[in-house]
Amino acid sequence: MKKTFLVLVLSSVAIAAGVFFLTSKFTVPTGIANTSPESTLEPKPNKTMRAFASSEELKDFFAKVAVKRQREAQKQLSQAGEPQTDSVASNTAAASPSAGEDAKSSKDESITNNQHAGVDEGGIVKLHGDHLVILRRGRLFTVRIGDDSLKPVDSIDAYAPGVDPRNDWYDEMLISGDTVVVIGYSYGRGGTEINLFDIDAAGSLDYRSTYHLRSNDYYSSRNYASRLIGTKLVFYTPEYLGYGDATSRFPAIRRWHKGARDDEFQTIIQPTQIYRPEKPVESFNGLALHTVTICDLANKGFACTATGAIGAPGRVFYVSPESVYVWTTDWNYGGGKSKANSTLFKMPLDGSAPSAIGVMGSPVDQFSFLESEDRHINVLVRSDGNGEQMWGSEFAAGDVALFRLPIDDFSDGSNSAPSYRYRTLPKPQGYTFQNRFVGDYLLFGTGSGWGQPEKTREGNLFAVNWKNGDIDTLDLDHGVDRIEQMGKDAVVVGTNGNDLYFSPIRLGQSPKVMQSYVRKNASQGELRSHGFFYKPDGKDSGLLGLPIAREGRPGYKHLIEGSAAILFLRNSELDLDELGEMGAGNLSSNNDGCRASCVDWYGNARPLFIHNRVFALLGYEIVEGSVADNAIRELRRVSYSPGYVKRNVTEEE
């Protein structure tokens, strides 16, 4: 549970910069048959994986896997001379806590810092017509900004009426047409929870329905569980299978009502929708069913279909406009040697059969991926990593390589990618790793992340042209805590002791670090990708915003402290000038009667550029500013806190 993990985060993440997994050289393991483009000795595989033909075949598969795993566990324990205990089951349980019980209007601008245009990511604030819709601490709020206004309108609990939400976390929100979707995880009622609300043109909210999707916790310190493409709501959900009847834990959906029972779950995936690679999955830590669920929200519906693939439990997933990619990894450190079993699955969003290929290492997060227009999948991988679940991305370590594979090379999973598909890259010094594809380049480096801002004499940023393989090393005066696209170029944000740096990176034939803007006595207020936003207003110009906090603040403090302000900068041909900041008036959230999601795991501060207006979302405040003469000044602010909205609605009635 996230609440359980909070104690661990606050006590250990501050010093996590010194913790990392065992490292190993990024070399091609034995068993990879093809080592050169000319090698054609392997038989030609099928283009897609094979689905199970029946329930009997699926159950027989799991029975054989269980017997094999038990024998392997007993063998290892016997060799170690230890008492025979169920260590495999213990590892699985620790890694996977079980659960207790139409398209957006074209006139709406995107206000979310999405990885891909057209693939909206679940966030804490969205735009619906003339209203901002905000998800915070277990509630939904609407604030009218149309007709040059700034006025709270409505609020509603982000969960079903009458439920006890104390063991639930409501993390992400999406809007499709006049439907607001809140995605959360319920430890008390049944896994991933989807709450649907109606919103009208006046900003009024009405609860519609709740659905539970049986799954393990999807939380990642960097990734988002949901995407919206048109009217299609896309979920990736893992289900760690472990021992026992695996089929009893397959993804299923029920509509919530008072007195809902477990036997009301209806399985949404059949054996003929579950695929396996031809090469056997060797996993010491159990198996996982990696499922992509698509629910159509058109006409206020909620019809869902699912496709699953069986693989190792470690995972990083990435959603392109056409497919979901899931990179699965299992690590076994038995016998003093580390052994990785990795498979990359490609799961098309049109519901067609998925495909797979054997791979090495593990990506860091979703930003390690790019499905490029030349029909290749490009992935930065490190030799040691357990995936992105919970805080896995913060501890990736080992050697670095760029994996580049034609999409047409995916097949039934019987083959592994040849060694020439990996290009060894420089290994940066440091611990918290950041990476991002921007234009023709892959940028990566290390910084402070969730830990204490470090004092550094110099930092390194590596720029790799993924088309031709050229590698450039760029010198920075700070660490790398954030890499963002800024028009056709990039900006890198990082700290050096008590100061926060913004370094523009010119990306062209020869990448170059331009003059940094330094904000003295400040640190990042948000670590999530959605905390940053850049809005171009010309070919080489635009505005950017980022939440900032007090100097020297450790990254993990964003969970318990609000941001002090949103800092706004103007970009003019990669020359950054400060416009100013809009600060928070009240950072406290202790008097809101919070019953659910009382830690802002996904942050609570965002810069918002809407039409020609500029806003700062800071906790329960929204501040509007005006930009003129290369400066921003505050025009007005409003609180949308629960008490304020309630009073406002009562006065109007």
Side-chain angles (χ1 to χ4, degrees):
M1 296 174 63
K2 294 176 194 160
K3 189 177 292 186
T4 303
F5 277 107
L6 178 58
V7 177
L8 174 65
V9 173
L10 300 185
S11 62
S12 66
V13 171
I15 59 172
V19 180
F20 53 92
F21 288 108
L22 298 175
T23 59
S24 62
K25 195 66 178 173
F26 204 101
T27 55
V28 181
T30 58
I32 294 183
N34 297 335
T35 58
S36 69
E38 293 78 18
S39 177
T40 57
L41 299 178
E42 288 292 303
K44 188 174 182 179
N46 295 319
K47 290 305 296 178
T48 59
M49 290 191 293
R50 177 167 56 95
F52 289 92
S54 64
S55 298
E56 290 71 23
E57 183 184 3
L58 185 62
K59 290 181 179 179
D60 182 63
F61 169 82
F62 283 118
K64 291 178 179 177
V65 168
V67 170
K68 183 176 181 181
R69 287 181 58 214
Q70 190 171 34
R71 288 176 179 171
E72 290 176 346
Q74 291 175 347
K75 180 180 178 181
Q76 290 201 12
L77 291 172
S78 176
Q79 290 174 344
E82 298 176 359
Q84 291 189 4
T85 58
D86 193 354
S87 62
V88 176
S90 299
N91 288 340
T92 302
S96 54
S98 59
E101 318 194 352
D102 291 347
K104 186 191 293 184
S105 170
S106 59
K107 70 179 181 180
D108 288 349
E109 296 181 61
S110 174
I111 59 173
T112 305
N113 184 23
N114 295 317
Q115 185 175 9
H116 274 289
V119 181
D120 198 13
E121 301 166 359
I124 64 168
V125 57
K126 300 290 179 181
L127 181 65
H128 179 266
D130 290 332
H131 297 85
L132 291 173
V133 184
I134 305 158
L135 173 65
R136 180 140 202 260
R137 294 168 65 85
R139 294 185 177 97
L140 279 173
F141 303 86
T142 57
V143 176
R144 181 173 177 79
I145 61 171
D147 298 326
D148 196 36
S149 59
L150 184 63
K151 184 177 183 180
V153 175
D154 201 2
S155 70
I156 192 171
D157 288 336
Y159 43 86
V163 305
D164 182 353
R166 288 176 293 178
N167 291 319
D168 307 328
W169 298 93
Y170 300 98
D171 298 316
E172 304 179 16
M173 172 187 55
L174 289 158
I175 298 180
S176 175
D178 294 329
T179 298
V180 179
V181 185
V182 174
I183 297 97
Y185 192 83
S186 172
Y187 289 96
R189 288 183 297 283
T192 299
E193 183 170 295
I194 304 102
N195 293 292
L196 304 180
F197 300 83
D198 294 316
I199 183 171
D200 63 19
S204 297
L205 296 164
D206 288 300
Y207 170 79
R208 185 194 305 171
S209 57
T210 293
Y211 296 86
H212 289 129
L213 173 62
R214 192 161 58 201
S215 74
N216 288 115
D217 197 345
Y218 52 73
Y219 180 77
S220 163
S221 62
R222 298 189 185 184
N223 210 343
Y224 305 92
S226 59
R227 305 291 193 275
L228 184 69
I229 303 176
T231 62
K232 303 297 177 62
L233 184 63
V234 180
F235 297 98
Y236 161 75
T237 52
E239 183 67 41
Y240 306 110
L241 302 177
Y243 283 117
D245 181 10
T247 60
S248 67
R249 296 186 294 280
F250 279 4
I253 284 181
R254 72 175 175 190
R255 182 164 179 166
W256 170 257
H257 62 88
K258 188 175 182 179
R261 305 182 310 274
D262 285 347
D263 61 9
E264 294 179 36
F265 277 104
Q266 297 182 354
T267 302
I268 59 172
I269 191 166
Q270 302 301 320
T272 53
Q273 298 165 296
I274 298 175
Y275 295 80
R276 54 177 168 172
E278 289 301 311
K279 184 179 179 180
V281 178
E282 302 288 345
S283 177
F284 180 77
N285 292 304
L287 296 176
L289 179 62
H290 302 276
T291 304
V292 173
T293 302
I294 300 176
C295 301
D296 194 350
L297 300 175
N299 302 316
K300 296 189 176 183
F302 196 71
C304 300
T305 59
T307 303
I310 292 176
R315 49 43 175 206
V316 180
F317 79 95
Y318 156 77
V319 183
S320 78
E322 296 183 356
S323 299
V324 177
Y325 292 86
V326 184
W327 189 298
T328 66
T329 304
D330 179 76
W331 283 93
N332 178 3
Y333 292 100
K337 295 182 179 180
S338 62
K339 179 183 178 183
N341 300 298
S342 299
T343 302
L344 176 58
F345 296 103
K346 178 179 180 292
M347 307 175 76
L349 291 171
D350 62 7
S352 57
S355 51
I357 193 164
V359 286
M360 296 187 299
S362 175
V364 177
D365 54 30
Q366 73 272 26
F367 298 115
S368 303
F369 291 79
L370 172 67
E371 183 188 74
S372 51
E373 294 181 357
D374 62 356
R375 292 191 55 77
H376 281 69
I377 182 69
N378 307 270
V379 191
L380 180 145
V381 293
R382 301 204 70 177
S383 59
D384 293 277
N386 283 356
E388 65 180 359
Q389 56 268 45
M390 295 298 173
W391 290 274
S393 295
E394 312 305 330
F395 301 105
D399 295 314
V400 186
L402 174 60
F403 173 71
R404 178 166 161 80
L405 182 80
I407 291 175
D408 291 339
D409 282 10
F410 280 86
S411 63
D412 58 10
S414 58
N415 289 348
S416 293
S419 59
Y420 65 82
R421 292 297 178 193
Y422 301 84
R423 178 179 178 83
T424 301
L425 301 179
K427 178 182 174 181
Q429 300 300 312
Y431 306 110
T432 304
F433 190 92
Q434 302 291 336
N435 59 172
R436 191 75 178 255
F437 284 90
V438 180
D440 293 343
Y441 285 89
L442 164 65
L443 305 174
F444 64 94
T446 57
S448 302
W450 286 57
Q452 189 80 28
E454 296 180 349
K455 184 74 174 177
T456 180
R457 292 184 178 180
E458 62 179 9
N460 290 125
L461 176 74
F462 298 96
V464 183
N465 188 310
W466 52 263
K467 288 185 174 180
N468 61 29
D470 288 348
I471 302 174
D472 289 277
T473 302
L474 306 177
D475 294 327
L476 300 173
D477 295 325
H478 56 88
V480 179
D481 290 319
R482 179 183 290 273
I483 304 171
E484 299 287 356
Q485 184 166 353
M486 191 167 66
K488 66 178 185 299
D489 299 297
V491 61
V492 176
V493 181
T495 55
N496 187 345
N498 290 335
D499 300 330
L500 186 64
Y501 285 69
F502 295 74
S503 294
I505 311 296
R506 186 185 67 194
L507 297 176
Q509 194 166 9
S510 179
K512 181 180 180 182
V513 180
M514 308 301 287
Q515 179 66 42
S516 300
Y517 164 79
V518 184
R519 175 61 163 82
K520 292 289 187 179
N521 305 318
S523 59
Q524 276 201 103
E526 291 275 356
L527 302 187
R528 285 273 176 185
S529 61
H530 290 177
F532 173 93
F533 202 87
Y534 176 76
K535 183 173 183 179
D537 56 17
K539 182 181 178 181
D540 297 304
S541 63
L543 301 179
L544 65 88
L546 180 73
I548 59 173
R550 60 179 172 84
E551 62 188 82
R553 189 178 86 168
Y556 73 87
K557 286 284 190 178
H558 75 279
L559 296 177
I560 52 178
E561 292 181 3
S563 297
I566 305 287
L567 175 68
F568 294 92
L569 305 178
R570 175 175 290 283
N571 168 41
S572 299
E573 297 182 339
L574 301 185
D575 181 20
L576 298 181
D577 291 314
E578 180 178 338
L579 294 175
E581 60 184 59
M582 293 194 285
N586 180 11
L587 301 181
S588 174
S589 302
N590 297 327
N591 299 317
D592 62 355
C594 182
R595 298 181 63 210
S597 301
C598 298
V599 175
D600 293 319
W601 293 101
Y602 283 54
N604 60 42
R606 300 287 186 268
L608 303 172
F609 302 96
I610 303 173
H611 308 314
N612 294 317
R613 299 167 70 185
V614 180
F615 301 90
L617 171 64
L618 291 156
Y620 280 124
E621 289 184 303
I622 299 177
V623 187
E624 182 174 4
S626 173
V627 178
D629 299 325
N630 290 321
I632 190 167
R633 64 181 182 87
E634 181 180 326
L635 291 179
R636 52 188 166 176
R637 66 175 59 214
V638 70
S639 169
Y640 68 92
S641 65
Y644 185 95
V645 174
K646 185 176 180 180
R647 289 195 303 272
N648 185 63
V649 172
T650 302
E651 290 169 1
E652 287 190 352
E653 292 174 349

